[in-house]
Amino acid sequence: MRPLPLAVFAYLLTGAVLLPAEAAPAARATAAARAAGAPTIDGKLEEPEWAAATWTGAFTNASVTGDPKDADSPAPVQTRFKLLHDDYAVYVAVECDEPNVGQVKAETPWRDGAVWQDDCVELFFDPANDGRYYHQVMVNSRGVVYDSYSADYGLVHSKLWNGAFRAAGQVDAAAKKWRVEVEVPFGAIVLGENAGSTWKWNVTRERQAGGKAELTTWSPLTGNFHQPKLFGTLTGVKVDYRPFRF
């Protein structure tokens, strides 16, 4: 999702689109499996290492109105992901169903371009499991990356921040799916003293191939993708981060 302008933040702060705390949908949890070896980042998901991980899915519509009925309804076109980790990185595989696979949009060819205007997936994560500061990694079906670092629970975004992420994508026309693989090296992200084995985590999708933008999310949201307090959790990242801090 495109970084939000200041006017939108002002609108959000009025409470006009945010649900009362008791109406907010429950966050979800997933886990990363220990990788026997680093998978090849090629978008194919054919490496045997991925057999150790299980698919996580059941994406829902991302509410743009704050209506809990919208935020809780199943996405009409589904998405799923797998997670691995070793001592150096977290590896993410995302698979997107697409009945209009010939219409998958991937027009952005350069790093930090307008990837949000393409069919794309987005990873949001905070190794401190708090959400005040978090990373965003957006990838289209060509494997092109847009990344940013956010502060103050999503009110401030730094597009100038760049991480050494590796990504690749592939469109599988026969299966009517497209897939991406992403490597998140620990040396490329912010790992403070409070970073642990449980992270704030979410995966979202922007679908353009249906003819209009459709926003879906793994952990249910109530206003936009930048709602870190509503992100789910990723567990199992049991790594010594000290060599990666600087």
Side-chain angles (χ1 to χ4, degrees):
M1 175 173 281
R2 184 175 184 172
L4 299 177
L6 184 59
V8 175
F9 289 133
Y11 181 61
L12 292 175
L13 288 173
T14 67
V17 299
L18 297 181
L19 295 175
E22 65 272 17
R28 295 178 176 174
T30 190
R34 182 79 185 186
T40 301
I41 305 301
D42 57 11
K44 298 179 181 179
L45 315 188
E46 296 174 344
E47 297 79 20
E49 288 82 7
W50 286 116
T54 58
W55 288 112
T56 298
F59 275 50
T60 62
N61 286 311
S63 170
V64 295
T65 64
D67 187 328
K69 296 191 298 297
D70 292 341
D72 217 15
S73 59
V77 178
Q78 278 294 319
T79 308
R80 60 200 62 86
F81 62 90
K82 287 184 174 186
L83 293 156
L84 294 170
H85 82 88
D86 57 20
D87 289 333
Y88 306 99
V90 168
Y91 306 95
V92 189
V94 186
E95 182 177 75
C96 303
D97 295 342
E98 185 45 69
N100 301 325
V101 70
Q103 303 302 316
V104 170
K105 185 179 178 182
E107 296 180 355
T108 304
W110 56 85
R111 174 69 179 258
D112 285 340
V115 177
W116 59 84
Q117 295 180 359
D118 291 337
D119 282 272
C120 67
V121 295
E122 303 189 32
L123 315 178
F124 295 86
F125 55 92
D126 171 21
N129 194 32
D130 174 68
R132 181 174 183 180
Y133 303 97
Y134 61 91
H135 307 75
Q136 176 189 19
V137 181
M138 190 183 309
V139 186
N140 68 11
S141 63
R142 300 172 64 157
V144 176
V145 170
Y146 169 99
D147 58 359
S148 70
Y149 188 70
S150 297
D152 292 337
Y153 298 100
L155 294 180
V156 178
H157 307 280
S158 174
K159 179 181 175 180
L160 297 179
W161 182 88
N162 281 302
F165 304 109
R166 291 199 302 139
Q170 183 189 62
V171 176
D172 185 343
K176 294 188 176 181
K177 302 177 188 294
W178 62 274
R179 305 178 181 96
V180 299
E181 281 179 288
V182 185
E183 180 188 57
V184 180
F186 298 130
I189 61 177
V190 179
L191 292 167
E193 293 296 328
N194 53 351
S197 62
T198 299
W199 296 13
K200 281 282 189 184
W201 176 264
N202 200 21
V203 179
T204 65
R205 176 180 175 184
E206 296 185 60
R207 179 175 180 250
Q208 309 289 346
K212 62 179 181 180
E214 299 174 23
L215 308 182
T216 58
T217 177
W218 169 63
S219 190
L221 302 175
T222 62
N224 63 83
F225 287 169
H226 291 273
Q227 298 277 318
K229 292 184 178 181
L230 299 180
F231 291 172
T233 55
L234 165 62
T235 62
V237 191
K238 298 178 180 179
V239 174
D240 181 1
Y241 298 131
R242 289 176 295 180
F244 306 104
R245 295 190 178 114
F246 53 88

